[in-house]
Amino acid sequence: MSGITVGLDGTDHASAAADWAAEEAKSRRSALRLVHAWLWRPTDVAYIGDRAAEERWVRNMLDEARSRVAGQHPGLDITTELIVGDPVPTLLAEAARADMLVLGSRGYGTLTGYLIGSISMKVLRHAAGPVVMVGKPHSGTPQQAPEVVVGVEPGQIGDAVLEFAFSAAAERGAALRAVHAWSVPTALAWSPGSLYLVGGANELEQINREVLADILKPWRDKYPKVEVVEQFEIGSASEVLLSNSADAGLVVVGRRSHEAGLRRLGPVTHAVLHHATAPVAVVPHDCPPG
């Protein structure tokens, strides 16, 4: 894998994705690749007029994006490519070869009423590597590097998720907030006697805190310069993660893999993608650590 790839489609959100990816590439001293997956489909609603005209529009869109980003980041290694092919397999191939694939949160098949397009959702579900979804940039520039927030789910989070989160925090010189939501098991919550036997909710909380500390320890050792904040709250995982992501520069979540090749985002990842205001990185649990 090498470099950062952005899937462009001419939307404002894709432009925001390119801007975010350029900053990321600069901090990582990495190359930036701007691509557009294109097939001539004269029956599409977006049909421009003829094949040559549409191809010119696409190439101009890529050239303008490159010129704009290069003007903001002199010296950054930027390449563009118009790839003739269906968007989903093309973007999946790009995700497999890059350090990360970056897409705009609106675009690539977005339908009215849906925040993330159908093509982007398919890519998110099946990508072999990290995919970052970026919305429109916030107004103003923070004076300090905003922290990276990662959702930690003991027993299911993969090394790749924490590797990505710690690496991102290290590159930014930012703190890492490791968020874990927990709840009292239903059987104990409805049985005060059973809860008493395990020493009450305080003991359960302490057990969960120790589990979280054990998960983070090897990563603290690997990235000693990264300040780690352990955020430990009782409640819904998606609500706790979102409530701690309002001022984040990046939110990192995992994506489960299932038997028989079936893949889905999971309710927490799905909620964060649709409601987080910060860019969201979705990292497959079975993605080889970078």
Side-chain angles (χ1 to χ4, degrees), residues 116-126 265 270 273-274:
I116 299 176
S118 58
I119 291 173
S120 296
M121 288 298 288
K122 290 177 182 177
V123 173
L124 285 165
R125 291 191 185 104
H126 297 281
L265 295 177
H270 194 272
L273 279 167
H274 283 80

Side-chain angles (χ1 to χ4, degrees), residues 180-287:
H180 172 57
W182 72 286
S183 59
V184 176
T186 304
L188 298 181
W190 287 97
S191 174
S194 298
L195 189 59
Y196 174 79
L197 291 176
V198 298
N202 288 338
E203 184 172 328
L204 286 175
E205 178 177 345
Q206 182 58 35
I207 292 172
N208 278 276
R209 285 187 182 278
E210 291 173 359
V211 170
L212 179 60
D214 288 343
I215 291 173
L216 295 175
K217 186 180 185 306
W219 300 102
R220 286 179 180 269
D221 294 341
K222 184 175 181 179
Y223 293 91
K225 294 184 179 181
V226 174
E227 177 189 354
V228 180
V229 179
E230 296 183 17
Q231 191 72 35
F232 194 85
E233 295 181 22
I234 190 168
S236 160
S238 58
E239 291 179 359
V240 170
L241 187 55
L242 285 168
S243 69
N244 283 280
S245 303
D247 299 321
L250 178 67
V251 182
V252 183
V253 291
R255 190 204 70 207
R256 296 184 179 89
S257 297
H258 291 271
E259 301 80 11
L262 298 176
R263 297 174 184 268
R264 68 186 186 91
L265 295 177
V268 175
T269 298
H270 194 272
V272 172
L273 279 167
H274 283 80
H275 298 289
T277 56
V280 178
V282 179
V283 183
H285 289 304
D286 57 358
C287 172

Side-chain angles (χ1 to χ4, degrees), residues 1-285:
M1 296 190 298
S2 61
I4 297 173
T5 297
V6 184
L8 295 179
D9 61 1
T11 63
D12 291 342
H13 284 72
S15 294
D19 292 339
W20 184 90
E23 290 286 350
E24 190 75 10
K26 180 180 177 181
S27 67
R28 292 172 177 257
R29 298 178 179 83
S30 179
L32 180 66
R33 176 173 156 84
L34 308 176
V35 305
H36 177 80
W38 174 70
L39 275 182
W40 167 242
R41 293 190 179 101
T43 57
D44 279 357
V45 174
Y47 171 56
I48 290 178
D50 59 54
R51 189 184 194 283
E54 185 167 322
E55 183 174 348
R56 283 196 301 272
W57 179 86
V58 173
R59 292 191 183 279
N60 287 337
M61 180 265 293
L62 286 170
D63 290 342
E64 289 173 4
R66 185 188 186 284
S67 296
R68 183 176 58 80
V69 173
Q72 297 171 351
H73 301 278
L76 186 63
D77 181 6
I78 308 172
T79 58
T80 65
E81 184 174 359
L82 188 162
I83 304 172
V84 178
D86 285 316
V88 172
T90 297
L91 293 173
L92 288 175
E94 291 297 319
R97 64 183 286 191
D99 293 320
M100 71 179 77
L101 173 67
V102 184
L103 301 174
S105 61
R106 286 186 183 272
Y108 264 118
T110 301
L111 301 175
T112 302
Y114 290 85
L115 177 60
I116 299 176
S118 58
I119 291 173
S120 296
M121 288 298 288
K122 290 177 182 177
V123 173
L124 285 165
R125 291 191 185 104
H126 297 281
V131 179
V132 180
M133 302 299 296
V134 179
K136 288 186 177 180
H138 298 289
S139 59
T141 302
Q143 295 183 355
Q144 296 181 343
E147 64 188 10
V148 174
V149 175
V150 60
V152 181
E153 191 175 2
Q156 295 187 6
I157 193 165
D159 286 350
V161 180
L162 286 174
E163 173 71 61
F164 186 94
F166 270 86
S167 175
E171 293 289 349
R172 289 167 171 74
L176 175 70
R177 184 174 298 272
V179 179
H180 172 57
W182 72 286
S183 59
V184 176
T186 304
L188 298 181
W190 287 97
S191 174
S194 298
L195 189 59
Y196 174 79
L197 291 176
V198 298
N202 288 338
E203 184 172 328
L204 286 175
E205 178 177 345
Q206 182 58 35
I207 292 172
N208 278 276
R209 285 187 182 278
E210 291 173 359
V211 170
L212 179 60
D214 288 343
I215 291 173
L216 295 175
K217 186 180 185 306
W219 300 102
R220 286 179 180 269
D221 294 341
K222 184 175 181 179
Y223 293 91
K225 294 184 179 181
V226 174
E227 177 189 354
V228 180
V229 179
E230 296 183 17
Q231 191 72 35
F232 194 85
E233 295 181 22
I234 190 168
S236 160
S238 58
E239 291 179 359
V240 170
L241 187 55
L242 285 168
S243 69
N244 283 280
S245 303
D247 299 321
L250 178 67
V251 182
V252 183
V253 291
R255 190 204 70 207
R256 296 184 179 89
S257 297
H258 291 271
E259 301 80 11
L262 298 176
R263 297 174 184 268
R264 68 186 186 91
L265 295 177
V268 175
T269 298
H270 194 272
V272 172
L273 279 167
H274 283 80
H275 298 289
T277 56
V280 178
V282 179
V283 183
H285 289 304

